[in-house]
Amino acid sequence: MTKLLSANFSRLMRDKMFWLVSAFIFILSAFMITKSGMSVSDIDTENNVKTLNAVYFNILPIFSFFYAVFISFFIGTDYSDGTIRNKIVIGHSRTDIYFVNYITCFTGSLVILTAMLIGCAFGVPFFGYWQGEIKAYLLVALLCVLITAVLTAILTMISMLSSNKAITVVLTITVSLALVLIASSIYNVLLEPEFSRDFVSLSADGEAVFGPEKPNPAYVTGWERKIDEWLLQFLPTGQSILIANEEITNPLINILYSVLLTAAVNICGVFAFRKKDLK
């Protein structure tokens, strides 16, 4: 397994897609947070208070897409070059091959995440330093690492079970986007207020006049709401949205979900890969 790891990390260091994605996410993060900082310069800060905490992780919800691009190309190359089959022929076990690829992809994904964290530091001149104790930032960073572990497990499993590189790229990107859309839809549903008011007219001084409160039919209650809240906490993309909006309320639960989901997906992935016909 040590030789496999050494060979994989050597290939990772020479992987152009890995470095391209890392550089792109660094530039994108720096650009987005700088743009946010410049946009608040003319805003009344008394009514629009913004801190670094509020914008630092804004790009996190779409990170699964970048992980998908890197992982699908990295593992897909193993199949297109016949490397995986050669590893099995010379005596390496499928379990070792699977976990080595997961460890390598997780390491690469952590580098991509680190590039984002460094890029977002460009927001300090505009928003100041992180508000609160440093352990609060480290806790959120830990949650990001665990979210990365889950997403890497899901995308590695898909990539290891698909022998065609082109199909792998499409599948991983589709799944990553689907996870983002599902989490976003759930979050938007939960944002619906319990009561709403209809606009009636404008008063003489130009202020809007609204009618009496009435129940909002889009507001979900009961078990449906409990399930939606659980899914948002459970899904890695749901956790990403909560982090971006500073709405993490019970980080220990999120940590537990991420650890359990990472382990479960990897176990299922190894089992399926051991049964896969590599032809």
Side-chain angles (χ1 to χ4, degrees):
M1 190 170 181
T2 303
K3 291 182 179 180
L4 284 175
L5 274 173
S6 178
N8 261 25
F9 280 126
S10 176
R11 186 161 73 89
L12 180 65
M13 293 299 101
R14 294 180 280 106
D15 191 274
K16 293 181 180 179
M17 183 58 70
F18 164 64
W19 291 114
L20 182 63
V21 172
S22 299
F24 180 79
I25 202 65
F26 170 77
I27 295 171
L28 180 63
S29 301
F31 171 77
M32 293 300 292
I33 201 164
T34 301
K35 183 179 179 182
S36 296
M38 294 175 68
S39 68
V40 300
S41 59
D42 298 325
I43 293 178
D44 178 7
T45 55
E46 291 183 2
N47 298 322
N48 299 277
V49 178
K50 282 197 174 184
T51 63
L52 185 64
N53 305 43
V55 295
Y56 194 84
F57 292 101
N58 279 357
I59 198 175
L60 187 64
I62 64 170
F63 247 54
S64 57
F65 170 79
F66 300 102
Y67 293 155
V69 172
F70 154 60
I71 292 171
S72 60
F73 273 90
F74 185 82
I75 296 180
T77 301
D78 251 4
Y79 275 110
S80 62
D81 292 349
T83 309
I84 287 184
R85 188 165 54 249
N86 292 339
K87 290 175 182 177
I88 293 174
V89 170
I90 63 176
H92 293 293
S93 72
R94 293 192 180 209
T95 301
D96 285 351
I97 293 172
Y98 189 98
F99 278 118
V100 164
N101 275 345
Y102 172 75
I103 292 170
T104 308
C105 289
F106 179 48
T107 302
S109 297
L110 285 180
V111 172
I112 295 171
L113 174 65
T114 302
M116 184 273 287
L117 297 177
I118 296 174
C120 287
F122 279 77
V124 171
F126 301 98
F127 302 102
Y129 292 103
W130 184 267
Q131 302 295 307
E133 298 180 3
I134 187 63
K135 66 180 182 181
Y137 172 81
L138 293 177
L139 180 59
V140 178
L142 173 61
L143 289 174
C144 292
V145 170
L146 294 176
I147 289 170
T148 297
V150 178
L151 292 172
T152 302
I154 294 171
L155 298 170
T156 297
M157 180 176 69
I158 296 171
S159 300
M160 290 296 289
L161 298 180
S162 174
S163 304
N164 185 291
K165 185 176 181 179
I167 293 176
T168 299
V169 173
V170 173
L171 280 175
T172 53
I173 292 177
T174 300
V175 169
S176 66
L177 292 179
L179 287 172
V180 173
L181 291 175
I182 291 170
S184 298
S185 298
I186 294 172
Y187 182 75
N188 290 332
V189 166
L190 292 174
L191 279 182
E192 288 288 342
E194 186 174 359
F195 298 97
S196 61
R197 289 182 175 182
D198 291 330
F199 172 77
V200 177
S201 63
L202 288 175
S203 64
D205 56 2
E207 293 185 1
V209 178
F210 295 92
E213 285 189 343
K214 62 179 182 180
N216 180 5
Y219 181 79
V220 295
T221 59
W223 282 104
E224 184 180 354
R225 188 169 192 85
K226 291 183 181 297
I227 292 173
D228 285 344
E229 289 173 343
W230 176 79
L231 281 172
L232 198 63
Q233 296 282 347
F234 181 75
L235 292 172
T237 45
Q239 292 185 31
S240 298
I241 291 174
L242 292 175
I243 290 174
N245 291 283
E246 298 184 279
E247 295 177 12
I248 291 291
T249 56
N250 195 339
L252 292 180
I253 291 296
N254 298 122
I255 289 172
L256 178 62
Y257 285 156
S258 293
V259 171
L260 291 177
L261 189 54
T262 300
V265 172
N266 275 328
I267 290 172
C268 291
V270 168
F271 180 81
F273 181 64
R274 290 174 65 180
K275 302 292 183 181
K276 177 179 172 60
D277 182 8
L278 295 176
K279 300 179 181 180

